């Protein structure tokens, strides 16, 4: 190796011109790269701002359409729910009413089967004649059973209708006769043959009664009244009584 080759190289500071040029080149390159990247970014941003505006409008329309569809479906579901709820309420009320009617009919049937027993107790009470202590004891014993039966019917809502002295009502009474009466005006119940009963407000048995015809005409005339024009009293001379002609016995003609 020669002496020139063995000499050390000068430091970088010994060539300031070359160093400055290298620095300027790198700066220019970095500047150009930065400008290119900014240009590309701005161009991409411009394209992105243009394209997403159309895409966003389409997406917005799609979302609005889906929202309208969901609102319509929700409305249909609400209407379906309301119809179902109304049907259920009608079914519940109908079943409750049928249950009450069935219970009412069963109670009515039971009461109608018991009422003849009550009638028998009442007829016995009216017809019996208490003469001895034994008869009074028996009477008191079955009357206690009668009172217990009546109290049980009352707890079920059974009530006896008042008939005598009340105006005749075909919804409550069944007229089987008409009677003249000086105590009650016309079309008023004068006699009760069989008691009528109600179960709550429902008539389960009509009362069998006799209805007043009013004061008899002859009694009204005797009391100072006048006969009614519809049926005036006709007076005529009495016909003389004639004795009947005695029957004459005729003998049969002899045979020829």
């Amino acid at each position: 190796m020669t002496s020139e080759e063995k000499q050390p190289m000068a430091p970088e500071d010994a060539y300031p011109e070359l160093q400055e040029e290298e620095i300027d080149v790198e700066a220019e390159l970095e500047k150009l790269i930065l400008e290119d990247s900014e240009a590309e970014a701005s161009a991409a941003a411009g394209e992105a701002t243009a394209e997403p505006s159309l895409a966003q409008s389409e997406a917005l329309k799609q979302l609005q359409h889906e929202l309208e569809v969901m609102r319509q479906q929700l409305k249909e579901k609400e209407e379906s729910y309301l119809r179902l709820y109304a049907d259920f309420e009608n079914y519940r009320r109908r079943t409750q009413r049928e249950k009450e009617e069935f219970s009412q009919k069963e109670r009515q049937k039971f009461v109608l089967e018991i009422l003849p027993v009550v009638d028998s107790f009442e007829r016995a009470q009216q017809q019996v004649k208490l003469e001895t202590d034994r008869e009074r004891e028996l009477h008191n014993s079955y009357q206690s059973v009668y009172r217990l039966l009546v109290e049980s019917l009352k707890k079920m809502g059974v009530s006896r209708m008042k008939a005598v002295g009340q105006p005749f009502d075909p919804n409550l009474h069944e007229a089987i006769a008409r009677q003249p009466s000086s105590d009650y005006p016309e079309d008023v119940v004068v006699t009760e043959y069989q008691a009528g009963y109600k179960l709550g407000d429902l008539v389960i048995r009509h009362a069998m009664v006799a209805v007043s015809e009013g004061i008899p005409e002859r009694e009204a005339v005797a009391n100072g009244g006048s006969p009614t024009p519809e049926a005036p009293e006709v007076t005529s001379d009495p016909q003389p009584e004639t004795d009947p002609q005695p029957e004459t016995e005729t003998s049969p003609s002899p045979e020829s």
Side-chain angles (χ1 to χ4, degrees):
M1 180 179 292
T2 61
S3 58
E4 294 178 357
E5 294 176 353
K6 291 180 180 179
Q7 292 178 0
M9 293 181 64
E12 295 179 356
D13 294 339
Y15 306 99
E17 294 83 4
L18 295 176
Q19 188 174 1
E20 289 178 2
E21 290 178 0
E22 292 177 359
I23 292 173
D24 292 337
V25 171
E26 291 178 358
E28 289 295 332
L29 291 175
E30 291 177 358
K31 184 177 180 181
L32 292 174
I33 292 171
L34 182 60
E35 291 177 356
D36 292 338
S37 61
E38 289 178 356
E40 292 177 357
S42 62
E47 293 177 358
T49 53
E51 293 178 357
S53 61
L54 298 175
Q56 288 177 357
S57 62
E58 293 295 333
L60 182 60
K61 291 179 180 180
Q62 183 66 23
L63 290 174
Q64 290 177 349
H65 177 69
E66 293 178 357
L67 180 61
E68 290 296 328
V69 172
M70 294 182 66
R71 285 178 178 174
Q72 185 66 25
Q73 292 178 353
L74 178 61
K75 184 178 180 181
E76 293 176 358
K77 293 293 183 182
E78 289 179 352
E79 293 177 353
S80 177
Y81 169 76
L82 292 176
R83 287 195 298 268
L84 181 62
Y85 180 76
D87 292 340
F88 175 75
E89 282 296 317
N90 293 333
Y91 170 76
R92 185 181 64 81
R93 294 172 183 173
R94 184 172 63 253
T95 52
Q96 182 68 20
R97 184 173 61 254
E98 291 176 353
K99 182 179 178 181
E100 293 175 357
E101 291 177 355
F102 177 78
S103 177
Q104 186 80 355
K105 288 180 180 179
E106 288 297 317
R107 286 191 297 170
Q108 180 179 351
K109 181 180 178 182
F110 173 76
V111 171
L112 288 176
E113 292 178 354
I114 295 297
L115 288 181
V117 181
V118 179
D119 296 337
S120 299
F121 274 110
E122 293 177 351
R123 282 194 298 268
Q125 184 179 7
Q126 294 173 359
Q127 296 174 2
V128 69
K129 295 180 179 180
L130 305 178
E131 297 178 354
T132 64
D133 294 338
R134 178 61 178 170
E135 290 177 350
R136 293 187 183 91
E137 183 179 353
L138 291 174
H139 175 75
N140 293 333
S141 63
Y142 75 74
Q143 283 302 310
S144 63
V145 177
Y146 167 74
R147 287 191 294 270
L148 181 62
L149 180 59
V150 171
E151 289 297 326
S152 300
L153 292 176
K154 287 182 179 179
K155 291 179 181 179
M156 295 179 61
V158 179
S159 60
R160 180 171 179 168
M161 295 185 296
K162 184 179 179 181
V164 177
Q166 301 297 318
F168 176 74
D169 186 353
N171 297 319
L172 305 177
H173 310 132
E174 180 182 352
I176 60 175
R178 292 183 67 87
Q179 297 177 358
S181 174
S182 58
D183 298 328
Y184 297 101
E186 189 177 2
D187 292 334
V188 174
V189 177
V190 295
T191 307
E192 182 184 64
Y193 295 103
Q194 187 180 64
Y197 288 90
K198 285 184 177 181
L199 179 58
D201 296 332
L202 177 66
V203 178
I204 58 176
R205 193 177 79 175
H206 292 71
M208 297 178 63
V209 298
V211 183
S212 172
E213 291 181 345
I215 301 175
E217 189 173 348
R218 287 176 298 177
E219 186 175 347
V221 173
N223 293 333
S226 59
T228 58
E230 290 81 8
E233 185 177 357
V234 179
T235 58
S236 60
D237 296 334
Q239 297 292 333
E241 296 181 358
T242 57
D243 295 334
Q245 296 294 331
E247 296 180 359
T248 57
E249 295 181 0
T250 58
S251 58
S253 57
E255 295 178 358
S256 55

